[in-house]
Structure formats: C-alpha cells, structure tokens
Amino acid sequence: MIYWLYAVHTGALLTVPATRVVLALDIGGTFFRIALADANGVILKQHKEPSNPELGPRATISRIKEEMQTLLSDVDRDSVLGLGIAVAGLVMPAPGILLTSPHMLKWYNTNFKEAFAREPGFPVWVGNDANLAVLGEHAFGAGKGIKDLVYLTVSTGIGAGVLIDGRLLLGSVGFAAELGHTTIDVNGPPCPCGSRGCLDIMASGTGIARMARERLRAGESSVLSDLSGGDPGKVTAVMVEQAARAGDRLAAEVMRTAMTNLGAGIVNIIHAFNPDTILIGGGVSKAGDLLFGPVREVVKERMMPDYRVNIAPAALGDNSGILGAVAHVVESTTGL
Ligand SMILES: [Zn+2]
C-alpha cells in the first residue's frame, strides 16, 4: 500500500510495466537487438549481439529465437501483443520479406513472417528500420502528435520514414521513402544503388569520408592526414567532424559541402511531402550545429516562401528501430 502511494505521488507509476507487452527485433548489418517493451515504449529487457550477416539468415535467426525465449521466460504469453521486426534493407511488409540489403547480402529474399510463424507463436509485423522509426518518433519521441512527419537517419547511409496524415507511406509494395536514393547531382559519383549522385552518397557519413579522402589524395593538407596515420583510406566521418570543430579548413569545407547537399535533399522532401516537421537522427546528426546550421540555411534559401517546416533532432537514438517496431505492433493491434 505504501509502495503504491509512493509510486502515484512520484509519478513512478508511469514506469510500471503496462499489462500488454511487445517483442521487438532490430536487425542490421552489424548487430541484432531483441527487446521486450511495454505499450508505452518503455524497454523492459533487451539483448544485443553481432548479427554476423556473412553467415546468412539461418544461424542468426536461430540465435534470435533462443534469445527470444530467454526474454519471454517469465512473461505471460497472453500479455504479448506481437513481434515487430525492423530490418535495414528493402522490405515488403505485407508478406514480411526482406528483398535485399546492401549490408546483408546473404539475407536476400528472407521471409521473416515465415521464419517466426511458429515461434514465438503470436502475430509478426516486418518493416524497414527507418520506415518504422518514424512511427517510433511519432508515438514515443520528438514527433508526438505530429501527423505529417518525416524521419531521416543520416549515418553510414541515409534512410527515411514518411508519415502522412498519421499513416506510414509504404508505396505499392513497401519500398516508399528511400529518400537517400533521390538524386542531388546528376553527374555525381556512382552510388551502390546503381544510380549516381544520390543524397546518400553526397551527404551520409560514407559521403563525408569519401569527400575528405579524395581531397587528401589530391595532395591537400589537413590535420586529417595525422589523425588517419597518413592513410587517407582510414579517414572516417567522425574524424572529419572532430577536425572541423578544431578549425581544420579542409574538414570544415567537407562538412559544409555534405550538409549543404543534405539541405538540398531536405528541400526536395519538403516540396514533395509538405511535412510539419522533419526529424534527423543517425550518427552524423550528433554533429549538431555542423549539420543543422547549413541545413537550415539551405532550406531558408531554397524552400518556396509559402512553406513552413520545423527541422529538429530525433529523440530515440539507437532505440529508433526497436521502438519503431513496438509502435508498429501497438498501432496494428490496438488501432491507435
Ligand atoms: Zn543511391
């Protein structure tokens, strides 16, 4: 009795697990994470380990099922709303198929709904991780209550999710919102997707590192030569950001060019979807003002004058895939 009074008084009651829980899985080219969360997006338990994509889906899915059983060991199965799966790659949500993923080549055509149909034995939903992240930000993060919302992750690559009037934009088979592969420069460098000059290759962490490496190889001087031990191939986006902050001219110019490209891509997004808010997450967003400064400048310069948009940091960080999957299951089962 004393506990409950205390809990209500302090507001701690909000963190007491809701009666319904969701199992969520986030699979990428480096790690998989599996978590049990309540319907309010509070992660109750989780496990993370390398996804070893080079081994193919069979071994990893088997490991995931083992960890799933551990997470569910003391959970009433009737309280589980379902399993949500966020995958990095081109996903067909209806059949639950990961068609292709640049970081998980051996997972071509993996049917997750089929793989998890018997275990754990409750409904399964599958989506692209950045697509689902917009649902997570809308339900639990920086996009609460915003019905026209875009989420962009700027990391090794650029992924996106688009919410229009509160509904996730999927397209005819589920490949919508690949905004990283919209063209910024028709004559730009080749992109692994097969096109050229994509936003992804012009503004992602990979793009930042590529631009810095090219200039170092051309003989320009920069503190990045020391930071990379004299090997331009070892330059990373994080090094470029740090060098830019320390006042290095080449690094500052590369950051500015990449984030100006990002701003141009965002102007395209604004004109295509007229969102209320664009949330930016992913590793490169940790650059803060080095990202948001140039992006907001370009948007101010190039956006048609009658448009209005709020550009802000996303809130869920590394949990965006997991909580996106949770939001998707909660919305799909409760109609929220
Ligand atoms: Zn591309």
Side-chain angles (χ1 to χ4, degrees):
M1 186 62 186
I2 290 167
Y3 166 76
W4 287 109
L5 282 173
Y6 172 77
V8 170
H9 180 67
T10 60
L13 192 60
L14 292 174
T15 62
V16 170
T19 49
R20 307 307 297 271
V21 293
V22 176
L23 203 52
L25 172 64
D26 183 6
I27 310 182
T30 314
F31 294 101
F32 77 77
R33 275 176 74 199
I34 180 136
L36 195 67
D38 73 14
N40 296 319
V42 176
I43 295 173
L44 307 169
K45 291 195 259 183
Q46 62 176 315
H47 173 83
K48 175 179 173 179
E49 71 175 57
S51 53
N52 299 318
E54 69 284 358
L55 301 178
R58 209 184 167 117
T60 305
I61 286 175
S62 166
R63 277 292 304 128
I64 291 167
K65 285 181 178 176
E66 283 172 31
E67 289 304 327
M68 202 176 273
Q69 294 310 327
T70 309
L71 285 183
L72 290 170
S73 59
D74 55 355
V75 172
D76 172 8
R77 298 292 174 114
D78 291 339
S79 71
V80 183
L81 285 170
L83 167 65
I85 304 177
V87 196
L90 278 184
V91 174
M92 298 164 76
I97 293 172
L98 168 66
L99 198 62
T100 56
S101 174
H103 309 293
M104 300 161 72
L105 295 174
K106 287 193 174 170
W107 290 61
Y108 171 77
N109 226 3
T110 300
N111 190 321
F112 283 92
K113 278 195 183 175
E114 228 167 66
F116 290 97
R118 294 197 178 175
E119 303 163 65
F122 30 73
V124 178
W125 284 267
V126 187
N128 167 274
D129 53 358
N131 266 204
L132 296 186
V134 78
L135 295 177
E137 291 288 345
H138 179 248
F140 313 122
K144 279 184 193 168
I146 301 170
K147 291 162 87 176
D148 292 285
L149 182 69
V150 172
Y151 167 84
L152 268 187
T153 171
V154 186
S155 188
T156 314
I158 293 182
V162 176
L163 205 65
I164 293 176
D165 197 21
R167 293 179 66 89
L168 184 64
L169 181 71
L170 288 172
S172 62
V173 293
F175 298 166
E178 279 293 337
L179 303 179
H181 299 287
T182 51
T183 303
I184 294 300
D185 178 355
V186 283
N187 298 313
C191 178
C193 78
S195 184
R196 301 186 78 93
C198 292
L199 181 60
D200 191 303
I201 202 79
M202 304 292 289
S204 65
T206 308
I208 291 168
R210 177 185 54 79
M211 281 187 255
R213 288 170 189 171
E214 280 172 4
R215 291 181 60 167
L216 290 172
R217 286 188 181 119
E220 290 192 54
S221 64
S222 161
V223 69
L224 288 168
S225 301
D226 298 333
L227 288 173
S228 61
D231 178 0
K234 290 190 174 155
V235 168
T236 64
V238 172
M239 281 181 201
V240 178
E241 188 217 324
Q242 286 168 349
R245 272 198 200 290
D248 184 78
R249 187 183 56 82
L250 185 151
E253 284 176 8
V254 165
M255 279 304 289
R256 186 152 194 90
T257 302
M259 296 306 105
T260 300
N261 291 337
L262 182 63
I266 286 177
V267 172
N268 293 343
I269 293 166
I270 294 165
H271 290 159
F273 303 112
N274 183 208
D276 173 283
T277 297
I278 297 178
L279 298 174
I280 306 178
V284 176
S285 70
K286 291 176 187 161
D289 55 325
L290 288 180
L291 181 149
F292 287 96
V295 161
R296 289 191 177 117
E297 264 176 47
V298 174
V299 168
K300 200 173 164 193
E301 276 169 24
R302 300 193 180 200
M303 183 176 74
M304 285 194 274
D306 294 322
Y307 283 71
R308 295 286 178 273
V309 69
N310 175 33
I311 299 171
L316 301 181
D318 292 342
N319 291 330
S320 65
I322 285 284
L323 292 182
V326 171
H328 189 36
V329 172
V330 172
E331 286 176 21
S332 302
T333 52
T334 62
L336 287 175

